[in-house]
Each structure stands twice: as C-alpha cells, then as structure tokens.
Amino acid sequence: MLDDLSTAASQAPWPIAYPQGYAVVDVETTGLARDDRIISAAVYRLDARGEVEDHWYTLVNPERDPGPVWIHGLTSDVLEGAPLFREIAEELSSRLADRVLVAHNAVFDWSMLAREYARAETEAPVRQRLCTIALSKELELPLPNHKLESLAAHFGVVQQRAHHALDDARVLAEAFRPSLHAAASRGVRLPLLECRPLTEWSASPTIGRQASGGYSSGGYRAGSWRPSRKRPPCPYPNPGRYEDGKPLKQGMRVAFSGDTSVERELLEDRAVEAGLHVATSLSRVTSLLVTNDPDSGTSKTVKARQYGTPVIDEAAFGQLLRDVEPATEE
C-alpha cells in the first residue's frame, strides 16, 4: 500500500499550495488538564513531500509529580536530571520554525506547547497545525476509530513503544507520509488550522518538592491564559439557514455540540473571526449545527431534528470556514 501511494504521488503534480515542510510532534505529559506539564517531546522534521530529514527527542523536568507513570513510564527519578522546558525551548523552536506542526489530535499537543512557551515567556514559532485525525477524515480512510494505532495499522506501520514520544512521533511520521501523498494525488486541500500563541501566563511560583526527590503537585496552582484576541460581537444580521452546497454567510448563527478534534474555544474563535455568530443554544433561527455525532441525544441535536436545522460535521465546517461569503450590505 505504501509503495502504491508513493508511486502515485511521484507521478502526479505536487500541489503548489502545500506547505514546504512539516514538524511531526508528540509530547508526553503529566496529565490532560490545562495545568499539566510536558515531560518529554519528540520532533520528526519532514520535507514538502513527507520525507524524513531528521529527528530529535528530549526529556523535560516538569517541576512536579510526573503523573500516570504506568502510561508513559517516566518516573520522578528519571526526570530529576532532565532540562526544564525553558532550557530546551530554543532548540525545540529551531525544529518547529517555518513548518506546519503535525500531530495526532493536534490541538492537544499544540495547547501543551503553547502553554509551556508562555510559561517560559516566549512564543512557539508555529503558525499552522495539521491534525492527522482531521486528515484521515478528509481522506475517508476506513478506520475503526481515531486512535494512532489504528492509523498506523492501516498503513502497515509497526509501533514499538506506545506512549513513548519518540516512537509515537516516528509512527505518526511514517503514517503521515502516505496520507500526504494520498491527499496530493487526489487534490485534497489539507485541513490546516491557525495556531495562535498564548500571550499571558500566571502561576504559583512555589512548587512543593517531595522527600522522595520528585515534585509534589500540592503547591501547584493552575495558571490562567487567554488568546491574544478577544471575541468581538457579531456585527452582521442573520441571513438565515445554511443551505447544502452553498457557502456560509457572515452573520449566520452557528451552534456546536459534542466532542471536537479542535478545542471548542479555538473552533468558536475561528467562526467568530469569519464573521459568524456563535450561539450557545439552538433555536428556530439557528442557521447551522456543527457536531461529529448527529445521532446523539444532546439537547441541541434533538432540537435540530425538531426544527429541521441543517447539521454538518467538524471537517465539513472547517472546509466551509475557508470561504465565508460576505454579509449583504443593506
């Protein structure tokens, strides 16, 4: 399968609009919450066609308890002598610069990196990211679920050490290359999303250290952060419901329901920036409901069925956001 895709891609013209380089990233963390820390990071740099240029890996001292050791295997003793994030930030930046960040569930890896850079009082040199979950949906790959192991199995990539940042990044790089070639051969537009760095971070300066030599989370207090721009109110009138096959129009009222591969707040920010009105509830005047699970029993999906509100998934909405029609002047 890999050879067939590579041959097809080499014979087809490469899309000019595709990025010139990628940084395939994986991070292991102390947990999934916003106040958790990175404990290891890996980057595979790829050229425009997905060929590996080099790779890099580092442990990171999180200055706190390492979290679920049974998952990532990194104990306090292992991390004790590792560099702090601010000490590896420059090297990491050199590997991310001028490249699209590629990750599996990219919003998570990007969010963790953005917060670590904000703590270090600097910014990650990343302006766009690509989620391989979103790309697999664009390609309509017949996957049983959206786990990395399923994507790897589809392309015959063997995983050696799950939840080890370097091996996860390798596996993703090897699976991304044929995905990229498949997209290029079909003329698929890549689902690239904007990365906005965090501009502020505040956290407790005191981290309690345990007698065992590890770090205690007892003295750790969740930080606060916000995007560089606040959402403005929608200045446009509601033009009505979305019609299948037509573009979105500024002023349309859009509601979201269920889990999304892109963090909900970021997805809503993109909608607002495009001139749409983000609705917190669904009513008869809602133009569109965005959900990846239209058959769920949430109040919004139930009301959408009752009112006949158009429903599309996140991937389709992402495509529509690229070409939103301007509001009609009155």
Side-chain angles (χ1 to χ4, degrees), residues 74 115 118 266 316:
L74 298 176
R115 288 193 283 272
L266 296 177

Side-chain angles (χ1 to χ4, degrees), residues 91-291:
E91 173 68 16
L92 178 57
S93 293
S94 70
R95 296 178 178 278
L96 299 177
D98 302 319
R99 295 172 186 267
V100 170
L101 184 151
V102 178
H104 202 66
N105 189 21
V107 66
F108 174 76
D109 296 80
W110 162 244
S111 297
M112 294 301 297
L113 286 169
R115 288 193 283 272
E116 290 287 9
Y117 271 97
R119 290 185 186 98
E121 300 181 339
T122 185
E123 293 183 1
V126 178
R127 295 298 171 260
Q128 288 183 309
R129 67 178 183 273
L130 188 156
C131 179
T132 47
I133 294 176
L135 180 57
S136 68
K137 291 179 180 179
E138 293 282 348
L139 296 174
E140 299 181 340
L141 300 182
L143 305 179
N145 52 53
H146 297 300
K147 294 181 179 180
L148 176 58
E149 62 189 51
S150 297
L151 181 65
H154 177 77
F155 288 114
V157 180
V158 178
Q159 191 164 27
Q160 299 171 351
R161 296 182 63 186
H163 300 296
H164 185 283
L166 183 60
D167 195 57
D168 281 351
R170 175 193 63 80
V171 168
L172 188 58
E174 292 185 19
F176 174 64
R177 179 172 175 270
S179 298
L180 179 64
H181 286 190
S185 64
R186 300 179 198 174
V188 173
R189 182 182 293 182
L190 299 180
L192 302 175
L193 293 178
E194 177 189 8
C195 288
R196 279 195 267 158
L198 303 178
T199 56
E200 295 183 19
W201 174 268
S202 62
S204 171
T206 303
I207 310 288
R209 194 163 189 165
Q210 297 175 335
S212 63
Y215 288 89
S216 167
S217 59
Y220 185 83
R221 178 165 52 86
S224 62
W225 55 91
R226 56 178 177 267
S228 56
R229 287 173 287 175
K230 294 182 179 179
R231 296 181 192 162
C234 184
Y236 311 112
N238 185 356
R241 288 186 169 181
Y242 165 73
E243 296 181 37
D244 187 35
K246 294 186 178 181
L248 294 172
K249 191 171 184 177
Q250 289 180 330
M252 283 186 170
R253 296 178 66 90
V254 180
F256 298 88
S257 178
D259 293 334
T260 52
S261 61
V262 176
E263 188 174 352
R264 177 70 67 83
E265 291 182 0
L266 296 177
L267 193 60
E268 292 178 350
D269 279 346
R270 290 188 63 215
V272 169
E273 289 166 5
L276 304 176
H277 175 99
V278 173
T280 56
S281 60
L282 195 139
S283 68
R284 295 183 185 276
V285 298
T286 303
S287 307
L288 178 69
L289 174 65
V290 178
T291 178

Side-chain angles (χ1 to χ4, degrees), residues 9-86:
S10 63
Q11 294 175 347
W14 199 260
I16 298 177
Y18 274 26
Q20 294 304 300
Y22 305 88
V24 177
V25 173
D26 186 78
V27 298
E28 295 300 317
T29 67
T30 60
L32 305 178
R34 295 188 174 191
D35 61 330
D36 277 301
R37 305 296 301 272
I38 290 175
I39 56 176
S40 65
V43 180
Y44 266 73
R45 290 197 290 190
L46 311 181
D47 65 16
R49 291 177 176 259
E51 300 293 340
V52 175
E53 295 178 330
D54 59 30
H55 64 268
W56 173 83
Y57 170 76
T58 184
L59 295 175
V60 181
N61 189 331
E63 301 183 276
R64 57 162 288 178
D65 185 275
V69 175
W70 60 92
I71 294 178
H72 51 64
L74 298 176
T75 65
S76 295
D77 288 342
V78 171
L79 298 171
E80 173 69 17
L84 303 177
F85 185 86
R86 63 174 176 270

